[in-house]
Amino acid sequence: MSTYDAVPATPDHIAIEHRVLELWEREDTFNRLRAQNAGGPTFSFTDGPITANNSMGVHHAWGRSLKDLVQRHRAMQGHEQRYQNGFDCQGLWVEVEVEKSLGLNSKQEIEEYGLDKFARACRDRVAEYSAVQTRQSKRLGQWMDWDRSYYTMTDPNIEYIWRFLKECHDREMLYRGNRPMVWCPRCGTSLSQHELIDSYRDRTHPTLHVRFPFLDAPEEAVVVWTTTPWTLPANVAAAVDPEAEYSAVRTSQGIDWVMTARVEDLFGEGADVVRTAKGAELVGRRYRGPFDDLEPGAAVEHRVVAWDMVAGDEGTGVVHIAPGCGGEDFELGKVEDLEVLVPVDDAGCFLPDYGFLAGLTTADAADPVRAHLEQQGVLVRSGTIEHRFPVCWRCGTDLIHRVVEEWFIRAEPVRQAMIDAAATVNWVPEQYGKRMEDWLRNMGDWCISRKRYWGLPLPFYKTESGEFLIIGSIEELRERAVDSLDGLEELHRPWIDGIRVRTDSGEIAERVTEVGDCWLDAGIVPFSTLGWGRESFQEGGYAAGAGEGLTQADLPDHEYWEKWFPADWISEMREQIRLWFYSQLFMSVVLVGKAPYKNVLGYEKLHDETGRAMHKSWGNAIWFDDAVEEMGADVMRWMYALQTPSQNMNFGYGPANEVRRRLLTLWNSYAFLIRYADIDGFTPTYADLEHRPPSATALDRWIVARVDETIATCDEALSGYWTPTYARAVESLVDDLSAWYIRGSRARFWRPESDVDKDAAFRTLWYVVAQTCRLIAPAMPFMAEDIWQNLVRDRAVDAPDSVHLAGWPSAGTPDTEAIRAFALAQTAISLGRGARAQGNRKLRQPLREAVIATPDADARAAVESLREEIALELNVKNVRISDAVDELLEVEIVPNFKVLGPKLGKDIPRVQQLLKAGDYERSGDDVVVGGYTLTSDEIELRTRPREGFAVADEGGLAVAVDTELDEELEDEGLARELIHFIQGQRKDADFEVADRIEISVTADARLRRVLDRFGDEIRRETLCTALAVEDGVTGAPFDADGCTGTLAVRRTS
RNA sequence: GGGCGAUUAGCUCAGUCGGUUAGAGCGCCUCUCUGAUAAGGAGGAGGUCCCUGGUUCGAAUCCAGGAUCGCCCA
């Protein structure tokens, strides 16, 4: 009758995980955990919202695994938590995907399609993918309150942002200003930096060299070069490098100024240079603009300005400046206070006041522009150029720069407060704090508007006369509304656009059309989800608006906010420093003057296993759904836990397989325990987990001490959010358990009789595996649970139903003596094996004696306590411990630098020399040298083996083995060989471990003697009930060192 | 140009407080175990700890400068 479920040789992670998910579901384990921790100390985690726009990737799984790991750990420690997951719902990414799926290709097509239908499609996409991501996250094992996720598109979230914006306005931080944008003239939309990645293509464009004649000397001109003819009508300045030398060259058209370094390329070797001058001399001179005959150009005073970014390696060394058509031009324009001419509209068509160009696109304008310049006599030459140029990823159209009006929040008023607040945060890794500070010191004003559709509607209202009003809440909107709010289904376009409001002066105001930056949506979360400033708690109230039916998240009250703000911890990838970490901090500093989080864990990027970025089009991307069903969630999670966060992670099936194999060690240890626990009917004692099991041997004490040590290491690592130290500590414990404890204790488990020793062995092994289960539970919740169910639950009285309800193990004071002693024994064993190898004696051959010699009395005592284990490991009859190191070794005394360094300082090298030369005297344990008396703590003994011994040494410890063999030892060795051989036969015949066998053997004289002497042992070890020596047996030939026989092995039952 | 990192074995990476003999996994070679076995164990080969200088009795570790790579900002 079996009490334990049989354990397969290797874990089927996938099957285990599905089984455990079902178990948790059936037993409502997560909610039981929450009930168990209710009222406990709080651990407040704010989840950074994942964009609910696509299924999640393995890089998301990294972050989610870390989040879950820490939350599970804190839960095991008894902390009450909120477990609120978040979805980011608005912004260009969602719009772009929806556009694709609807086959729309421009803003115009969206508007024709209908903003209401478009908004619904965006909401539907969020609903679809938030459901997908929820399913995936559950599969990963993440425990969250999935029914109460927050969605940033809900009315309450938007309303909180309104409130924040109004606060900014009240503090005069809000303004409307210009911003150069990268623009697709065909799609009629700006592109974000992200959309520019990989957007460069080889293109051919027209080039023009154009003269800008000086007003005070019309025959003289600066000559510029441009590849964007359409920007010339927006020219307001020409930039020169004030430090560079310029030359005036006489040509058929007059006198042309260009940078001296460019003269030869432009005019050939025989150029007629009439004058040279520093660029600075040209600065300030005014010139006739190329399109002064058009209204906008005529209104501008064109002049030469200084700019240190003028390049001398291409063009003319004079740069045409159009601040309305270029990012760098715009920045220079701000410095030089230049006019900003924006010649084209949203669709990239020239505006009506551009005369003959009006209505033309930027591309179509190239020829008319050239013709016009030629006609004006200012065109020097025209040509074409092939170069890399950014194009729209949607339609392939050449992108242009275009200055547009946007809304901004001033950074300066809060900059210092934000820096101060960031300094209160514990950044992990530390350097991320420096990055945040650098970002804050350099941050520009926050551009919060987007000329799009699916986003939070900015609550900015303007009257025809220019009066401005900002609405801070739905209530205020209701009070001021001129139109009925009945049609306002939610706070989104187009519905909100139809509501006009009345200003204080009684005028009618309409909303501006812009929506807000999605980082406002995410940044407000520490307020909007926690009920900041609210008087009443509204159950399920957060879902109002676009979140209706998607979530049951509450809209709490201010008391709740006080309880949970600021977050104890947040964690996202490093790029969030300038995104979510920033926007949260900004909004929090504005609203309450402090940081919204106390600890931050950031992590780097996830690459493929060769270190390359994962990319759909490169074919090296790994889908989460595939990964989790192939490598398993636990394996993935353990990989994430092992990963140093400040390093890029190389993720793939190869590394996963390595990790999977390492996990086998724990599994094998568990399987070993189950096998013998089942055979023996072992019943564990749950209280052992708290009070520790009884120890019968030094090995027992050692492994228990190692558990204590490991718990302490894990505690420290996890309290600092540093998972790799935790994961490595656990692996190290498991290695010790398997390689040393179990290997050294195996015989105790398969002895038939029961006694104190076997009981201690079982309880100790059970204790270590069960504690390890608890330790790995946060990182590998499935395997931990599966082992727990079989090993602990229902086997031990009082055991919790789930490892996740079992609490975190408490570290006792580690028995450091036991650990130190065993480390010495390990060294001795390792040395002994080395010595055997030197003496050419394989481990199977028993030897008479090993001698362990050390001058250190403590070390001798430590080794003494483990001599049985050492004898077993070295397969020797006796272990002799000696202080007569000289027998085996030459001894050298070296200073203990760590202790002696600070004491002796510069005398160290001299003392070291004297010791090495043997120029010292011993006085008891002390050493007198060079005028110093050194105690035993202040020196170390180094040893070298003397010639002619099978000796190995390390750190003052030396081990020799007696390699002499007599007949008895040889026979015993042969017996071992024979046992080894028979076990092989058993295995070849596929017998079960517990099957009994009979053996017939035809033996030579020597083998007969071995059978006579060691027959009992051979029968016992091979579970042989009858061993008959007879002639003429047909079977397998045995031959060891010339000792031969033929064996036949049969199963008895 | 400013900022933040990284550089350690063939590969991927640890390395705490500065301590003199720098580690792990994988790979490779040799051996071993065979009652954990598609495993396990031991041993070996393999290192200019990027370079230069400094501080120190002592530097992979701290400081300065440089090189290369990555990232953030401009």
Side-chain angles (χ1 to χ4, degrees), chain A residues 859-870:
Chain A
R860 284 197 301 275
V863 172
E864 175 70 43
S865 73
L866 285 154
R867 64 190 298 168
E868 279 178 45
E869 284 79 5
I870 295 168

Side-chain angles (χ1 to χ4, degrees), chain A residues 715-729:
Chain A
D715 280 344
E716 194 184 338
L718 291 181
S719 70
Y721 309 97
W722 197 251
T723 61
T725 304
Y726 148 78
R728 278 197 287 266

